[in-house]
Amino acid sequence: MAFFGFVDTPLSFNQLQQQLRRTLPDARIESYDLPECAAPSGQPLRLGLINANFPTGPLAGATMRAVIREPAYWAFCWGSGLALAQFLLANPQWVEGRKIVDLGSGSGVAGIAAALAGARSVIACDTDPDARLATQINAAHNGVQLETTAHLPDACDMVLMADVLYDRQNLPLLKIAQAHAAEILVADSRVTQLPDPRYEEITRIEALTCPNLGEFDEFRLAHIFHFKA
Ligand SMILES: C[S@@+](CC[C@H](N)C(=O)[O-])C[C@H]1O[C@@H](n2cnc3c(N)ncnc32)[C@H](O)[C@@H]1O
């Protein structure tokens, strides 16, 4: 693996670090092996994420404003994304041979897990260009290729949505996803009930955001819902 200038940070993670430092100048990107997330080869799913002891505050005013303006959600693997990745790797039949879209991909965790689990193709969709870059780089580190896009593609077999409903204003994304796919998997620790009874809760998985944000206990459990038209 190529290294550039400093120890243990592969060249491509350096690209992510540069993006991260536009808002958090003292933060680093480090490589994390996700727990209970092994590919069929036995290799753990590995992501470049923010260092665990990243500066949290009090932040200088300009830094705080930059973080609020451009939150680097992609620099975390959110608990629900980790839970969905664990679920797909343990139950590959959900995605095997299918065309998958990971909506709100962030680091790319759910889409990468789907690709490792045998999806025919995976498109990662995120409105944040840094998230799309992170997804590409993280996918390459796991030996899979994902397409990335800012807009939901026309049609697919299944849409994955992990920790996208954190903002209630995102609830309409469910209907938008329904117009693109006959099946949807939603993983969310903040939303425990969905407005449409056709979303059936299929399992709950305890998973922490990585690096650990010390979230409230009530947000440690990701609820996984399945929609089938
Ligand atoms: C909390 S992060 C979750 C990332 C990842 N799924 C995970 O579980 O780690 C939510 C992501 O959704 C993206 N997002 C928010 N609204 C979106 C929209 N309308 N379309 C696509 N992506 C969106 C954000 O940019 C962010 O990367």
Side-chain angles (χ1 to χ4, degrees):
M1 209 175 272
F3 291 94
F4 184 72
F6 45 97
V7 178
D8 281 340
T9 305
L11 181 59
S12 50
F13 284 167
N14 186 40
Q15 248 175 297
L16 288 184
Q17 184 161 290
Q18 282 172 19
Q19 294 306 104
L20 181 64
R21 286 187 169 174
R22 287 189 299 127
T23 52
L24 277 170
D26 298 326
R28 296 189 307 280
I29 291 290
E30 292 180 351
S31 178
Y32 290 79
D33 287 357
L34 299 184
E36 292 169 63
C37 254
S41 65
Q43 184 76 27
L45 199 165
R46 182 169 293 168
L47 298 177
L49 303 170
I50 194 168
N51 56 302
N53 57 345
F54 68 95
T56 49
L59 298 173
T63 305
M64 183 62 88
R65 283 191 292 279
V67 167
I68 292 169
R69 198 174 54 242
E70 271 184 79
Y73 292 130
W74 56 268
F76 295 86
C77 171
W78 297 86
S80 310
L82 174 58
L84 187 55
Q86 291 174 340
F87 176 77
L88 295 178
L89 287 164
N91 302 280
Q93 69 277 10
W94 283 86
V95 288
E96 254 165 1
R98 309 183 79 191
K99 186 173 172 185
I100 305 296
V101 168
D102 178 9
L103 175 57
S105 58
S107 65
V109 59
I112 293 169
L116 290 171
R120 176 159 54 94
S121 66
V122 180
I123 301 177
C125 173
D126 203 295
T127 41
D128 179 352
D130 287 347
R132 299 197 295 275
L133 176 69
T135 294
Q136 290 285 2
I137 289 174
N138 284 323
H141 275 275
N142 289 279
V144 294
Q145 263 195 326
L146 310 189
E147 220 180 287
T148 54
T149 174
H151 306 286
L152 209 51
D154 278 348
C156 63
D157 297 318
M158 177 181 274
V159 173
L160 308 176
M161 293 173 67
D163 213 336
V164 184
L165 303 178
Y166 56 93
D167 183 344
R168 288 263 153 187
Q169 288 188 349
N170 281 348
L171 276 174
L173 284 176
L174 292 173
K175 279 210 171 122
I176 295 171
Q178 283 165 218
H180 287 73
E183 280 191 72
I184 302 170
L185 282 177
V186 175
D188 219 295
S189 54
R190 289 168 178 78
V191 179
T192 54
Q193 276 188 324
L194 295 179
D196 182 335
R198 288 174 298 170
Y199 286 82
E200 183 198 352
E201 186 174 336
I202 51 171
T203 188
R204 294 177 186 181
I205 297 176
E206 194 173 319
L208 297 178
T209 295
C210 180
N212 188 352
L213 282 170
E215 287 158 303
F216 295 122
D217 281 353
E218 64 193 280
F219 297 140
R220 288 167 170 244
L221 201 58
H223 300 246
I224 301 195
F225 300 91
H226 178 225
F227 167 89
K228 193 165 185 176

